[in-house]
């Protein structure tokens, strides 16, 4: 009897004794069905439990949203440009009338793809200058942080001042409740 890979994993050594019997049922439970029913607690795992994946810390920080958007746009433009270049090449080999318009399209696509890659680079540099690297002398991040600190300090001072006004035994407060 011919067996597939799934049956071979659960089958005993091939000694010919299982020739007329159906393959054994799978021992591993289905991941969608609870192991012991509704009374099983969520923190108890069955003995053969193996998670689908393990969480690992990221090796590098995630790209900021504007940089990631520019990178996705650049990859799409480069992919379309490569397709245009391949179609232009094949049309040239086939001596088709479409070869010349495709070559013009690939030249234009190359210009746009270069712009897209430069856009990623410039967006990344601007992001680092505004939000990240403070050690650079020309960084605007330092001035922005200084302004934010000053605004927080003023807000805290105003809040403390309001609290003091309420605590003074003024006209609206009874001395003996």
């Amino acid at each position: 009897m011919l067996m597939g890979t799934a049956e071979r994993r659960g089958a005993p050594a091939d000694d010919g004794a299982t020739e007329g019997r159906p393959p054994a049922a799978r021992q591993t439970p289905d991941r969608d069905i609870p192991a012991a029913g509704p009374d099983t607690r969520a923190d108890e795992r069955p003995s053969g439990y193996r998670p689908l994946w393990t969480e690992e810390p990221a090796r590098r920080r995630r790209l900021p949203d504007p940089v990631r958007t520019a990178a996705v746009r650049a990859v799409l433009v480069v992919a379309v440009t490569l397709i245009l270049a391949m179609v232009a090449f094949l049309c040239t080999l086939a001596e088709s009338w479409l070869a010349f318009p495709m070559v013009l399209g690939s030249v234009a696509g190359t210009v746009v793809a270069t712009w897209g890659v430069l856009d990623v680079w410039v967006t990344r540099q601007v992001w680092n200058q505004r939000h990240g690297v403070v050690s650079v002398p020309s960084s605007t991040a330092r001035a922005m942080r200084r302004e934010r600190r000053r605004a927080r300090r003023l807000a805290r001072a105003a809040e403390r001042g309001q609290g003091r006004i309420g605590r003074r035994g003024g006209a609206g407060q009874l001395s003996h409740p």
Side-chain angles (χ1 to χ4, degrees):
M1 179 167 106
L2 294 173
M3 290 193 298
T5 307
E7 288 93 10
R8 255 189 241 122
R9 284 189 188 141
D14 191 18
D15 57 1
T18 60
E19 200 55 33
R21 288 184 286 168
R26 289 181 56 180
Q27 296 296 325
T28 57
D30 192 4
R31 295 197 189 281
D32 295 337
I33 301 171
D39 60 340
T40 305
R41 290 189 357 217
D43 57 345
E44 293 178 4
R45 302 270 190 241
S47 61
Y49 178 77
R50 200 179 85 213
L52 290 175
W53 65 85
T54 56
E55 293 290 332
E56 294 179 2
R59 295 178 190 199
R60 294 190 311 177
R61 284 185 8 222
R62 182 175 159 165
L63 281 176
D65 285 340
V67 179
R68 191 171 51 248
T69 303
V72 168
R73 189 179 328 129
V75 165
L76 290 175
V77 169
V78 167
V80 169
T81 302
L82 287 175
I83 290 172
L84 277 173
M86 181 57 71
V87 169
F89 176 72
L90 293 175
C91 286
T92 304
L93 288 180
E95 298 178 359
S96 171
W97 64 271
L98 202 56
F100 184 67
M102 282 294 153
V103 167
L104 290 179
S106 8
V107 168
T110 304
V111 171
V112 174
T114 305
W115 168 82
V117 172
L118 284 175
D119 181 41
V120 173
W121 182 61
V122 169
T123 306
R124 185 169 170 265
Q125 295 298 326
V126 168
W127 177 268
N128 281 340
Q129 188 177 22
R130 287 187 184 161
H131 299 95
V133 184
V134 182
S135 61
V136 178
S138 63
S139 175
T140 57
R142 181 181 294 121
M144 289 175 61
R145 285 188 180 136
R146 191 177 300 134
E147 289 172 16
R148 272 188 256 137
R149 245 185 273 128
R150 184 179 302 130
R152 275 196 309 261
R153 214 176 295 129
L154 289 174
R156 278 196 306 262
E159 188 178 310
R160 276 195 306 261
Q162 288 293 337
R164 287 186 193 134
I165 291 171
R167 277 183 273 151
R168 292 180 188 159
Q173 184 176 359
L174 299 174
S175 58
H176 299 287

